[in-house]
């Protein structure tokens, strides 16, 4: 009888341990209850040198062909100036980290979810890629969001008490300090400029040797940007839609 009780206790303990491990394994960064999500198709683009009156400060990298850009913007609903920045950012990120394999549609999907391609709060992007109005997210004061005390003395978000995500790609000031890049070659990394913000986002997604052509690599990349399973699914759905609408899935 004692042996039977011990056997039952051991069996119960083993089942609990297995259940706990299974839950832990499926809740690792970037995974939802079903594990890593398959990456969206990688959208391609027809490239040309920067031209056609849509300018950055310096011609620093390849940009979409003008005709392709016009057609893809119309098909996807992405403002042409934002789409130009997303494509250029993906090109540069892949040049810097060839194993990354990021598609412009993933960068664009993040931009769509974060700020509607720079239209949050009634803003828009001018021809230089600059936000015409302040794109500043809610106060990260712990009410409905994480509590993140101010890290930049309000320099970027105008709040010296709590941080706010800023710009078209919604970087927290402390993250921008580490990840901000100068995408348009004007010598300044500005989170309110779409060239700078898009390149910074693409570089951030590609960090730590991630391979975004794999399920785990893509899921971990987007999870690193925002630790939310619904967010990951929303970005994935949007990225897939952009690849289909653009008609350039690789």
């Amino acid at each position: 009888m004692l042996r039977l009780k011990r056997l039952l206790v051991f069996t119960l303990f083993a089942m609990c341990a297995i259940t706990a491990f299974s839950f832990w394994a499926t809740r690792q960064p970037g995974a939802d209850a079903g594990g890593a999500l398959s990456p969206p198709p990688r959208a391609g683009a027809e490239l040309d040198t920067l031209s056609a009156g849509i300018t950055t400060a310096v011609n620093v990298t390849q940009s979409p062909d003008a005709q392709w850009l016009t057609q893809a913007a119309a098909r996807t609903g992405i403002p042409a100036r934002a789409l130009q920045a997303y494509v250029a950012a993906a090109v540069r990120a892949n040049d810097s980290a060839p194993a990354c394999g990021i598609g412009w549609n993933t960068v664009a999907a993040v931009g769509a979810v974060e700020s509607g391609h720079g239209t949050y709060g009634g803003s828009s992007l001018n021809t230089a890629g600059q936000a015409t109005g302040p794109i500043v997210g809610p106060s990260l004061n712990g009410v409905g969001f994480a509590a993140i005390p101010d890290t930049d003395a309000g320099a970027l978000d105008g709040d010296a008490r709590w941080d706010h995500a800023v710009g078209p790609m919604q970087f927290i000031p402390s993250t921008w300090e580490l990840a901000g890049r100068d995408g348009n070659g004007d010598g300044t990394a500005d989170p309110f400029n779409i060239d700078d913000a898009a390149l910074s986002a693409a570089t951030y997604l590609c960090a730590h040797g991630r391979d975004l052509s794999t399920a785990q690599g893509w899921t971990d990349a987007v999870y690193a940007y925002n630790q939310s399973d619904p967010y990951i699914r929303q970005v994935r759905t949007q990225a897939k839609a952009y690849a289909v609408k653009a008609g350039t899935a690789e």
Side-chain angles (χ1 to χ4, degrees), residues 28-93:
Q28 289 304 291
D32 62 15
L37 302 178
S38 60
R42 176 179 167 180
E46 295 179 21
L47 300 177
D48 199 351
T49 54
L50 294 173
S51 58
I54 300 178
T55 61
T56 57
V58 179
N59 187 351
V60 292
T61 191
Q62 283 186 296
S63 189
D65 171 78
Q67 183 175 355
W68 178 90
L69 180 64
T70 300
Q71 294 174 345
R75 290 171 181 164
T76 60
I78 302 172
R81 189 60 187 82
L83 180 55
Q84 177 190 341
Y86 299 144
V87 173
V91 169
R92 289 186 64 179

Short mmCIF file of all heavy atoms in Angstrom, two decimals, residues 28-93:
data_model
loop_
_atom_site.label_atom_id
_atom_site.label_comp_id
_atom_site.label_asym_id
_atom_site.label_seq_id
_atom_site.Cartn_x
_atom_site.Cartn_y
_atom_site.Cartn_z
N GLN A 28 8.55 30.92 -24.24
CA GLN A 28 9.82 31.60 -24.39
C GLN A 28 9.66 32.81 -25.28
O GLN A 28 8.72 32.88 -26.08
CB GLN A 28 10.86 30.63 -24.98
CG GLN A 28 11.29 29.55 -23.99
CD GLN A 28 11.81 30.15 -22.70
OE1 GLN A 28 12.87 30.75 -22.69
NE2 GLN A 28 11.05 30.03 -21.62
N PRO A 29 10.59 33.79 -25.19
CA PRO A 29 10.46 35.01 -25.99
C PRO A 29 10.16 34.71 -27.44
O PRO A 29 10.83 33.92 -28.09
CB PRO A 29 11.85 35.65 -25.82
CG PRO A 29 12.28 35.22 -24.47
CD PRO A 29 11.77 33.81 -24.33
N GLY A 30 9.13 35.39 -27.95
CA GLY A 30 8.78 35.24 -29.34
C GLY A 30 7.80 34.12 -29.62
O GLY A 30 7.42 33.92 -30.76
N ALA A 31 7.42 33.38 -28.62
CA ALA A 31 6.52 32.25 -28.86
C ALA A 31 5.18 32.51 -28.23
O ALA A 31 5.08 33.03 -27.14
CB ALA A 31 7.13 30.97 -28.29
N ASP A 32 4.11 32.11 -28.94
CA ASP A 32 2.80 32.12 -28.31
C ASP A 32 2.46 30.67 -27.99
O ASP A 32 3.31 29.81 -28.01
CB ASP A 32 1.75 32.80 -29.21
CG ASP A 32 1.54 32.08 -30.53
OD1 ASP A 32 1.98 30.91 -30.63
OD2 ASP A 32 0.94 32.67 -31.43
N ALA A 33 1.20 30.43 -27.70
CA ALA A 33 0.84 29.09 -27.26
C ALA A 33 1.15 28.04 -28.31
O ALA A 33 1.32 26.88 -28.00
CB ALA A 33 -0.64 29.05 -26.89
N GLY A 34 1.24 28.43 -29.56
CA GLY A 34 1.52 27.47 -30.61
C GLY A 34 2.96 27.47 -31.04
O GLY A 34 3.33 26.83 -32.01
N GLY A 35 3.82 28.20 -30.34
CA GLY A 35 5.22 28.28 -30.69
C GLY A 35 5.49 29.40 -31.67
O GLY A 35 4.66 30.29 -31.88
N ALA A 36 6.69 29.39 -32.25
CA ALA A 36 7.08 30.44 -33.18
C ALA A 36 6.19 30.43 -34.42
O ALA A 36 5.77 29.38 -34.89
CB ALA A 36 8.54 30.23 -33.59
N LEU A 37 5.91 31.61 -34.93
CA LEU A 37 5.06 31.73 -36.12
C LEU A 37 5.91 31.70 -37.38
O LEU A 37 7.01 32.26 -37.41
CB LEU A 37 4.29 33.05 -36.07
CG LEU A 37 3.39 33.28 -34.86
CD1 LEU A 37 2.75 34.65 -34.93
CD2 LEU A 37 2.32 32.20 -34.78
N SER A 38 5.41 31.06 -38.41
CA SER A 38 6.14 31.07 -39.68
C SER A 38 6.26 32.50 -40.18
O SER A 38 5.31 33.29 -40.04
CB SER A 38 5.42 30.21 -40.71
OG SER A 38 4.12 30.71 -40.95
N PRO A 39 7.40 32.87 -40.74
CA PRO A 39 7.58 34.26 -41.17
C PRO A 39 6.71 34.59 -42.38
O PRO A 39 6.35 33.69 -43.16
CB PRO A 39 9.07 34.32 -41.53
CG PRO A 39 9.40 32.92 -41.94
CD PRO A 39 8.57 32.04 -41.04
N PRO A 40 6.35 35.84 -42.54
CA PRO A 40 5.61 36.23 -43.74
C PRO A 40 6.51 36.12 -44.95
O PRO A 40 7.74 36.09 -44.82
CB PRO A 40 5.22 37.69 -43.45
CG PRO A 40 6.31 38.17 -42.55
CD PRO A 40 6.66 37.00 -41.67
N PRO A 41 5.96 36.05 -46.16
CA PRO A 41 6.81 36.07 -47.35
C PRO A 41 7.64 37.35 -47.34
O PRO A 41 7.19 38.40 -46.88
CB PRO A 41 5.81 36.08 -48.51
CG PRO A 41 4.53 35.59 -47.93
CD PRO A 41 4.52 36.02 -46.49
N ARG A 42 8.85 37.25 -47.85
CA ARG A 42 9.71 38.43 -47.94
C ARG A 42 9.41 39.16 -49.23
O ARG A 42 9.61 38.64 -50.32
CB ARG A 42 11.18 38.01 -47.88
CG ARG A 42 12.16 39.16 -48.06
CD ARG A 42 13.59 38.65 -47.96
NE ARG A 42 14.54 39.64 -48.43
CZ ARG A 42 15.87 39.46 -48.45
NH1 ARG A 42 16.38 38.31 -48.03
NH2 ARG A 42 16.67 40.40 -48.90
N ALA A 43 8.93 40.39 -49.12
CA ALA A 43 8.58 41.17 -50.30
C ALA A 43 9.84 41.76 -50.94
O ALA A 43 10.73 42.25 -50.25
CB ALA A 43 7.62 42.29 -49.93
N GLY A 44 9.91 41.68 -52.25
CA GLY A 44 11.02 42.28 -52.97
C GLY A 44 10.65 43.64 -53.50
O GLY A 44 9.52 44.11 -53.33
N ALA A 45 11.60 44.29 -54.14
CA ALA A 45 11.37 45.61 -54.71
C ALA A 45 12.30 45.83 -55.89
O ALA A 45 13.39 45.25 -55.94
CB ALA A 45 11.59 46.70 -53.67
N GLU A 46 11.86 46.63 -56.84
CA GLU A 46 12.73 47.04 -57.93
C GLU A 46 13.52 48.26 -57.47
O GLU A 46 12.94 49.27 -57.09
CB GLU A 46 11.90 47.37 -59.17
CG GLU A 46 11.15 46.17 -59.73
CD GLU A 46 10.31 46.52 -60.94
OE1 GLU A 46 10.61 47.56 -61.57
OE2 GLU A 46 9.36 45.79 -61.23
N LEU A 47 14.85 48.14 -57.49
CA LEU A 47 15.69 49.17 -56.92
C LEU A 47 16.30 50.09 -57.98
O LEU A 47 16.56 49.71 -59.10
CB LEU A 47 16.81 48.55 -56.10
CG LEU A 47 16.38 47.68 -54.91
CD1 LEU A 47 17.59 47.08 -54.24
CD2 LEU A 47 15.55 48.49 -53.93
N ASP A 48 16.52 51.31 -57.57
CA ASP A 48 17.17 52.32 -58.39
C ASP A 48 17.89 53.23 -57.44
O ASP A 48 17.74 53.14 -56.22
CB ASP A 48 16.11 53.09 -59.20
CG ASP A 48 16.72 53.81 -60.40
OD1 ASP A 48 17.97 53.84 -60.50
OD2 ASP A 48 15.95 54.35 -61.20
N THR A 49 18.69 54.18 -57.95
CA THR A 49 19.27 55.18 -57.06
C THR A 49 18.19 56.17 -56.69
O THR A 49 17.18 56.30 -57.37
CB THR A 49 20.43 55.91 -57.77
OG1 THR A 49 19.96 56.44 -59.00
CG2 THR A 49 21.59 54.96 -58.02
N LEU A 50 18.39 56.90 -55.59
CA LEU A 50 17.41 57.87 -55.13
C LEU A 50 17.17 58.92 -56.20
O LEU A 50 18.10 59.47 -56.77
CB LEU A 50 17.90 58.54 -53.85
CG LEU A 50 18.00 57.62 -52.64
CD1 LEU A 50 18.65 58.36 -51.49
CD2 LEU A 50 16.64 57.13 -52.22
N SER A 51 15.89 59.17 -56.45
CA SER A 51 15.56 60.13 -57.50
C SER A 51 14.11 60.54 -57.37
O SER A 51 13.47 60.39 -56.34
CB SER A 51 15.80 59.49 -58.88
OG SER A 51 15.04 58.32 -59.03
N ALA A 52 13.57 61.05 -58.46
CA ALA A 52 12.14 61.31 -58.62
C ALA A 52 11.57 62.31 -57.63
O ALA A 52 10.39 62.30 -57.34
CB ALA A 52 11.35 59.99 -58.50
N GLY A 53 12.42 63.20 -57.11
CA GLY A 53 11.91 64.28 -56.30
C GLY A 53 11.57 63.94 -54.88
O GLY A 53 11.18 64.80 -54.10
N ILE A 54 11.70 62.65 -54.48
CA ILE A 54 11.48 62.26 -53.09
C ILE A 54 12.87 62.14 -52.49
O ILE A 54 13.61 61.24 -52.82
CB ILE A 54 10.71 60.93 -52.97
CG1 ILE A 54 9.36 61.06 -53.65
CG2 ILE A 54 10.56 60.52 -51.53
CD1 ILE A 54 8.55 59.79 -53.63
N THR A 55 13.25 63.07 -51.65
CA THR A 55 14.65 63.22 -51.28
C THR A 55 14.96 62.90 -49.84
O THR A 55 14.12 62.98 -48.96
CB THR A 55 15.09 64.67 -51.53
OG1 THR A 55 14.30 65.54 -50.71
CG2 THR A 55 14.89 65.06 -52.98
N THR A 56 16.21 62.51 -49.64
CA THR A 56 16.80 62.51 -48.32
C THR A 56 17.95 63.50 -48.40
O THR A 56 18.27 64.04 -49.47
CB THR A 56 17.33 61.12 -47.92
OG1 THR A 56 18.25 60.68 -48.91
CG2 THR A 56 16.19 60.12 -47.82
N ALA A 57 18.60 63.76 -47.28
CA ALA A 57 19.66 64.77 -47.27
C ALA A 57 20.82 64.39 -48.18
O ALA A 57 21.41 65.24 -48.83
CB ALA A 57 20.16 64.98 -45.84
N VAL A 58 21.16 63.11 -48.21
CA VAL A 58 22.29 62.64 -49.00
C VAL A 58 21.90 61.33 -49.67
O VAL A 58 21.21 60.51 -49.08
CB VAL A 58 23.53 62.40 -48.11
CG1 VAL A 58 24.70 61.88 -48.93
CG2 VAL A 58 23.93 63.69 -47.38
N ASN A 59 22.37 61.13 -50.91
CA ASN A 59 22.09 59.87 -51.59
C ASN A 59 23.01 58.81 -51.01
O ASN A 59 24.14 58.64 -51.45
CB ASN A 59 22.34 60.05 -53.10
CG ASN A 59 21.91 58.83 -53.90
OD1 ASN A 59 21.59 57.78 -53.35
ND2 ASN A 59 21.90 58.98 -55.20
N VAL A 60 22.53 58.08 -50.01
CA VAL A 60 23.40 57.18 -49.27
C VAL A 60 23.19 55.70 -49.60
O VAL A 60 24.02 54.88 -49.26
CB VAL A 60 23.21 57.37 -47.75
CG1 VAL A 60 23.72 58.73 -47.33
CG2 VAL A 60 21.76 57.21 -47.36
N THR A 61 22.11 55.34 -50.24
CA THR A 61 21.86 53.93 -50.51
C THR A 61 20.85 53.80 -51.64
O THR A 61 20.27 54.78 -52.09
CB THR A 61 21.31 53.23 -49.25
OG1 THR A 61 21.32 51.81 -49.47
CG2 THR A 61 19.90 53.68 -48.92
N GLN A 62 20.67 52.57 -52.09
CA GLN A 62 19.68 52.35 -53.13
C GLN A 62 18.27 52.56 -52.59
O GLN A 62 17.99 52.34 -51.43
CB GLN A 62 19.81 50.93 -53.68
CG GLN A 62 20.98 50.74 -54.63
CD GLN A 62 20.96 49.37 -55.24
OE1 GLN A 62 21.09 48.38 -54.53
NE2 GLN A 62 20.79 49.29 -56.54
N SER A 63 17.41 52.97 -53.49
CA SER A 63 16.02 53.24 -53.15
C SER A 63 15.15 52.60 -54.21
O SER A 63 15.64 52.19 -55.27
CB SER A 63 15.81 54.76 -53.11
OG SER A 63 14.56 55.09 -52.59
N PRO A 64 13.86 52.48 -53.97
CA PRO A 64 13.00 51.85 -54.97
C PRO A 64 12.98 52.62 -56.29
O PRO A 64 13.08 53.85 -56.31
CB PRO A 64 11.62 51.88 -54.31
CG PRO A 64 11.87 52.08 -52.88
CD PRO A 64 13.12 52.87 -52.77
N ASP A 65 12.84 51.89 -57.38
CA ASP A 65 12.60 52.51 -58.68
C ASP A 65 11.34 53.36 -58.58
O ASP A 65 10.34 52.96 -57.96
CB ASP A 65 12.43 51.41 -59.72
CG ASP A 65 11.95 51.93 -61.05
OD1 ASP A 65 12.77 52.48 -61.79
OD2 ASP A 65 10.73 51.78 -61.33
N ALA A 66 11.37 54.53 -59.19
CA ALA A 66 10.28 55.50 -59.04
C ALA A 66 8.93 54.93 -59.49
O ALA A 66 7.90 55.11 -58.82
CB ALA A 66 10.59 56.77 -59.82
N GLN A 67 8.92 54.24 -60.63
CA GLN A 67 7.66 53.68 -61.13
C GLN A 67 7.17 52.57 -60.21
O GLN A 67 5.97 52.49 -59.89
CB GLN A 67 7.84 53.14 -62.55
CG GLN A 67 6.54 52.62 -63.15
CD GLN A 67 6.71 52.19 -64.61
OE1 GLN A 67 7.77 52.37 -65.21
NE2 GLN A 67 5.66 51.63 -65.20
N TRP A 68 8.10 51.70 -59.77
CA TRP A 68 7.70 50.64 -58.86
C TRP A 68 7.14 51.23 -57.57
O TRP A 68 6.13 50.76 -57.04
CB TRP A 68 8.90 49.74 -58.52
CG TRP A 68 8.55 48.65 -57.55
CD1 TRP A 68 8.09 47.40 -57.85
CD2 TRP A 68 8.57 48.73 -56.12
NE1 TRP A 68 7.84 46.69 -56.69
CE2 TRP A 68 8.13 47.49 -55.62
CE3 TRP A 68 8.94 49.73 -55.22
CZ2 TRP A 68 8.03 47.22 -54.25
CZ3 TRP A 68 8.85 49.47 -53.85
CH2 TRP A 68 8.40 48.23 -53.38
N LEU A 69 7.80 52.26 -57.06
CA LEU A 69 7.38 52.88 -55.81
C LEU A 69 5.95 53.42 -55.91
O LEU A 69 5.12 53.20 -55.02
CB LEU A 69 8.34 54.02 -55.44
CG LEU A 69 8.04 54.78 -54.16
CD1 LEU A 69 8.15 53.86 -52.95
CD2 LEU A 69 8.98 55.98 -54.01
N THR A 70 5.65 54.10 -57.01
CA THR A 70 4.31 54.65 -57.20
C THR A 70 3.27 53.55 -57.24
O THR A 70 2.21 53.64 -56.60
CB THR A 70 4.26 55.47 -58.50
OG1 THR A 70 5.20 56.55 -58.41
CG2 THR A 70 2.87 56.02 -58.73
N GLN A 71 3.56 52.49 -57.98
CA GLN A 71 2.61 51.39 -58.12
C GLN A 71 2.44 50.62 -56.81
O GLN A 71 1.32 50.30 -56.40
CB GLN A 71 3.07 50.44 -59.23
CG GLN A 71 3.04 51.07 -60.61
CD GLN A 71 3.63 50.16 -61.68
OE1 GLN A 71 4.31 49.16 -61.36
NE2 GLN A 71 3.41 50.49 -62.95
N ALA A 72 3.56 50.35 -56.12
CA ALA A 72 3.49 49.59 -54.86
C ALA A 72 2.78 50.40 -53.78
O ALA A 72 2.02 49.84 -52.97
CB ALA A 72 4.89 49.20 -54.40
N ALA A 73 3.01 51.69 -53.76
CA ALA A 73 2.33 52.54 -52.77
C ALA A 73 0.82 52.51 -53.00
O ALA A 73 0.04 52.43 -52.05
CB ALA A 73 2.86 53.96 -52.84
N ALA A 74 0.42 52.56 -54.27
CA ALA A 74 -1.01 52.53 -54.58
C ALA A 74 -1.63 51.18 -54.22
O ALA A 74 -2.76 51.11 -53.71
CB ALA A 74 -1.21 52.82 -56.07
N ARG A 75 -0.89 50.10 -54.46
CA ARG A 75 -1.43 48.76 -54.18
C ARG A 75 -1.53 48.47 -52.68
O ARG A 75 -2.47 47.81 -52.24
CB ARG A 75 -0.53 47.71 -54.84
CG ARG A 75 -0.60 47.68 -56.35
CD ARG A 75 0.48 46.76 -56.90
NE ARG A 75 0.46 46.71 -58.35
CZ ARG A 75 1.46 46.24 -59.09
NH1 ARG A 75 2.55 45.77 -58.49
NH2 ARG A 75 1.37 46.23 -60.41
N THR A 76 -0.55 48.94 -51.93
CA THR A 76 -0.49 48.61 -50.51
C THR A 76 -1.16 49.64 -49.61
O THR A 76 -1.50 49.34 -48.46
CB THR A 76 0.97 48.47 -50.05
OG1 THR A 76 1.65 49.73 -50.27
CG2 THR A 76 1.69 47.36 -50.82
N GLY A 77 -1.30 50.86 -50.10
CA GLY A 77 -1.84 51.93 -49.27
C GLY A 77 -0.79 52.56 -48.36
O GLY A 77 -1.12 53.38 -47.50
N ILE A 78 0.47 52.20 -48.55
CA ILE A 78 1.55 52.79 -47.77
C ILE A 78 1.97 54.10 -48.44
O ILE A 78 2.21 54.13 -49.64
CB ILE A 78 2.78 51.86 -47.72
CG1 ILE A 78 2.41 50.50 -47.12
CG2 ILE A 78 3.91 52.49 -46.92
CD1 ILE A 78 3.52 49.46 -47.22
N PRO A 79 2.05 55.21 -47.70
CA PRO A 79 2.51 56.46 -48.31
C PRO A 79 3.87 56.25 -48.99
O PRO A 79 4.75 55.57 -48.44
CB PRO A 79 2.63 57.41 -47.11
CG PRO A 79 1.66 56.87 -46.11
CD PRO A 79 1.71 55.37 -46.27
N ALA A 80 4.02 56.80 -50.17
CA ALA A 80 5.24 56.56 -50.95
C ALA A 80 6.50 56.94 -50.19
O ALA A 80 7.52 56.24 -50.28
CB ALA A 80 5.16 57.33 -52.27
N ARG A 81 6.44 58.02 -49.42
CA ARG A 81 7.66 58.45 -48.71
C ARG A 81 8.04 57.46 -47.63
O ARG A 81 9.23 57.20 -47.38
CB ARG A 81 7.45 59.85 -48.11
CG ARG A 81 8.75 60.45 -47.53
CD ARG A 81 9.81 60.56 -48.64
NE ARG A 81 11.09 60.97 -48.12
CZ ARG A 81 11.98 60.15 -47.57
NH1 ARG A 81 11.69 58.86 -47.42
NH2 ARG A 81 13.14 60.61 -47.16
N ALA A 82 7.04 56.89 -46.98
CA ALA A 82 7.32 55.87 -45.97
C ALA A 82 7.82 54.59 -46.62
O ALA A 82 8.79 53.97 -46.16
CB ALA A 82 6.07 55.59 -45.15
N LEU A 83 7.20 54.19 -47.73
CA LEU A 83 7.60 52.97 -48.41
C LEU A 83 9.04 53.06 -48.90
O LEU A 83 9.80 52.10 -48.81
CB LEU A 83 6.66 52.70 -49.60
CG LEU A 83 6.95 51.44 -50.42
CD1 LEU A 83 6.99 50.19 -49.55
CD2 LEU A 83 5.89 51.29 -51.51
N GLN A 84 9.43 54.22 -49.41
CA GLN A 84 10.81 54.42 -49.83
C GLN A 84 11.77 54.15 -48.68
O GLN A 84 12.79 53.47 -48.84
CB GLN A 84 11.02 55.86 -50.32
CG GLN A 84 12.47 56.15 -50.72
CD GLN A 84 12.72 57.62 -50.96
OE1 GLN A 84 11.78 58.38 -51.18
NE2 GLN A 84 13.96 58.03 -50.92
N ALA A 85 11.43 54.67 -47.51
CA ALA A 85 12.29 54.49 -46.34
C ALA A 85 12.35 53.04 -45.90
O ALA A 85 13.42 52.53 -45.53
CB ALA A 85 11.80 55.37 -45.19
N TYR A 86 11.22 52.34 -45.95
CA TYR A 86 11.19 50.94 -45.53
C TYR A 86 12.06 50.06 -46.44
O TYR A 86 12.79 49.20 -45.97
CB TYR A 86 9.75 50.40 -45.54
CG TYR A 86 8.80 51.11 -44.61
CD1 TYR A 86 7.46 51.31 -44.97
CD2 TYR A 86 9.20 51.57 -43.36
CE1 TYR A 86 6.57 51.93 -44.13
CE2 TYR A 86 8.31 52.22 -42.51
CZ TYR A 86 6.99 52.40 -42.90
OH TYR A 86 6.10 53.03 -42.06
N VAL A 87 11.95 50.30 -47.74
CA VAL A 87 12.75 49.52 -48.68
C VAL A 87 14.24 49.79 -48.48
O VAL A 87 15.06 48.87 -48.40
CB VAL A 87 12.34 49.82 -50.13
CG1 VAL A 87 13.29 49.14 -51.12
CG2 VAL A 87 10.90 49.37 -50.39
N ALA A 88 14.61 51.06 -48.39
CA ALA A 88 16.01 51.43 -48.20
C ALA A 88 16.55 50.86 -46.89
O ALA A 88 17.69 50.39 -46.82
CB ALA A 88 16.17 52.95 -48.22
N ALA A 89 15.72 50.87 -45.85
CA ALA A 89 16.15 50.34 -44.55
C ALA A 89 16.42 48.84 -44.62
O ALA A 89 17.41 48.35 -44.08
CB ALA A 89 15.08 50.63 -43.50
N ALA A 90 15.53 48.11 -45.29
CA ALA A 90 15.74 46.67 -45.42
C ALA A 90 16.99 46.35 -46.23
O ALA A 90 17.75 45.44 -45.89
CB ALA A 90 14.51 46.02 -46.07
N VAL A 91 17.22 47.12 -47.30
CA VAL A 91 18.41 46.92 -48.12
C VAL A 91 19.67 47.12 -47.28
O VAL A 91 20.60 46.30 -47.29
CB VAL A 91 18.42 47.87 -49.33
CG1 VAL A 91 19.77 47.84 -50.03
CG2 VAL A 91 17.31 47.48 -50.31
N ARG A 92 19.71 48.20 -46.54
CA ARG A 92 20.90 48.50 -45.73
C ARG A 92 21.08 47.51 -44.59
O ARG A 92 22.21 47.10 -44.28
CB ARG A 92 20.83 49.92 -45.19
CG ARG A 92 21.04 50.97 -46.27
CD ARG A 92 21.11 52.37 -45.70
NE ARG A 92 22.25 52.56 -44.83
CZ ARG A 92 22.54 53.72 -44.22
NH1 ARG A 92 21.74 54.77 -44.40
NH2 ARG A 92 23.59 53.81 -43.45
N ALA A 93 19.99 47.11 -43.97
CA ALA A 93 20.09 46.14 -42.87
C ALA A 93 20.62 44.80 -43.38
O ALA A 93 21.46 44.17 -42.72
CB ALA A 93 18.74 45.95 -42.20
#
